[in-house]
Every structure is written in structure tokens, then in C-alpha cells.
Amino acid sequence: MPSYLPDYEKLYECSDVYSTRLFKAGIEADFEYSCALLRGDIKPSETIEVRHMRGTHTPALAIHTGFSLFLHDSIIEAFIQNQITGWETFRITLYGKNDEIIPNYSGVSITGRCNPLDYSRSEIVYREYPGGIFPRFKGSYFKDDIWDGTDLFMDNPDKRGYTLNQYVSERVKNIFDRDRD
């Protein structure tokens, strides 16, 4: 993997928004398959069925569940126009809350990579959540600062296995910020 020195000020960690109101959808498969699909370790030859799990009737342009990512064609087109790297698409059929087909969405696999996190460089902060106050790492740094330079990427496995940490470059963040306006 070629390595680029990360500018950590221009890299962002993705996270699932914990809300019962947002449209959430997922594939009907086991966890390992979903993870392998997200990481681009497998490439489905058939169209994958994605079904509404909870939330509103109307999906956002990006449906992110932590171990699945589905994007509307307008975001895919923006990625292509901006030459965003580190991703591939696969065909899906997205079903809404009433089993209606919602067109113009694709599944996304994240193919970019960085080294596993180096937690010794992160600060521990405490955040309040509905269930109480919990410690959290602030700042994500990659072991030996190794990253392949892609715009969408996940960390390589460490000795404990792989994680589902997902990151984007500032270029991807800007596409989503523009889309929100």
C-alpha cells in the first residue's frame, strides 16, 4: 500500500447517527457478510435487497448504519465528478417502510485503507449520553501515520482483527456539507 502522510486536520471519522427518526435500512445477511461487503472484501454479482428497518418513510441521500452504506445517485455522481477515491458500488434494491421500491440508490464498499489506530496518541474525554457519562477517545491517529491517500477509507486489521472505523477526506465532507445546504 503506498503511503501518504495524513493531514489529520482534514480527515474525518464517520459515525452512525443514533436516531429513531432517521430512515435506517439494512441487508438481510449475517454480520460477517455485511462487514465484508462494506470493506470491499466481497463483490456481489447479484442485486442485494436492502429493507427499511426503522425511522421515517423518506431516506436521506446517504443511509449509514455503521456496517452498511447506501448512497443516492446524486452523491455517486458528485463522487465521480470530484474524482473521489477509495470506493466501489454494488447494485441494490431499496425497499421503503411499506415495501415500495425506492429508486436511485447504490450500495457502497469502502476500499481505501489506513493502518490500525494508535490509541496512545489520542486523548480521553468524557461525553454525556442519555445513559450517562462515558469515556471516549478524542483524535484518531494511524499507527506509523500510514494511509493510502484515498478519500474514503477504513483501517487495516490489527492483531485483534479488523474494526469498522470509517474515515473520509475533507473533499468528501465538503460534498455532504454542500448537499445539506
Side-chain angles (χ1 to χ4, degrees):
M1 162 171 87
S3 182
Y4 296 83
L5 188 61
D7 180 352
Y8 291 108
E9 297 296 317
K10 294 183 179 182
L11 299 176
Y12 300 86
E13 186 171 357
C14 301
S15 63
D16 191 10
V17 176
Y18 298 103
S19 170
T20 57
R21 293 179 303 202
L22 291 176
F23 182 102
K24 297 288 186 171
I27 62 174
E28 294 177 356
D30 66 33
F31 182 71
E32 291 299 319
Y33 181 83
S34 296
C35 295
L37 191 57
L38 177 65
R39 295 180 62 79
D41 295 339
I42 57 173
K43 301 186 184 354
S45 57
E46 303 292 322
T47 300
I48 303 285
E49 289 189 358
V50 177
R51 299 205 172 270
H52 177 274
M53 294 174 5
R54 65 181 178 277
T56 66
H57 287 274
T58 307
L61 297 179
I63 304 167
H64 181 261
T65 64
F67 54 89
S68 296
L69 178 60
F70 311 107
L71 297 178
H72 188 270
D73 288 350
S74 62
I75 299 293
I76 300 290
E77 186 58 36
F79 280 11
I80 293 167
Q81 287 175 357
N82 289 281
Q83 299 178 338
I84 300 299
T85 58
W87 61 284
E88 295 176 348
T89 61
F90 54 92
R91 294 182 319 274
I92 67 167
T93 300
L94 177 61
Y95 292 93
K97 197 168 191 171
N98 298 317
D99 266 351
E100 73 280 11
I101 293 177
I102 301 173
N104 305 319
Y105 280 83
S106 294
V108 174
S109 294
I110 300 173
T111 59
R113 295 291 182 263
C114 64
N115 260 3
L117 292 181
D118 179 356
Y119 292 106
S120 69
R121 295 168 62 187
S122 300
E123 176 185 352
I124 296 177
V125 295
Y126 293 87
R127 268 182 90 180
E128 187 170 349
Y129 293 95
I133 299 173
F134 298 95
R136 178 166 170 75
F137 287 107
K138 180 180 178 185
S140 296
Y141 302 93
F142 316 132
K143 185 173 174 14
D144 302 321
D145 293 323
I146 293 181
W147 162 57
D148 66 6
T150 53
D151 294 299
L152 279 92
F153 57 102
M154 298 177 74
D155 46 1
N156 282 314
D158 63 12
K159 62 185 172 202
R160 295 169 300 210
Y162 66 82
T163 69
L164 295 176
N165 296 326
Q166 302 157 44
Y167 307 94
V168 298
S169 69
E170 187 170 54
R171 293 172 3 111
V172 173
K173 179 187 176 296
N174 290 341
I175 288 170
F176 284 107
D177 285 349
R178 269 193 316 264
D179 200 58
R180 223 181 338 189
D181 296 337

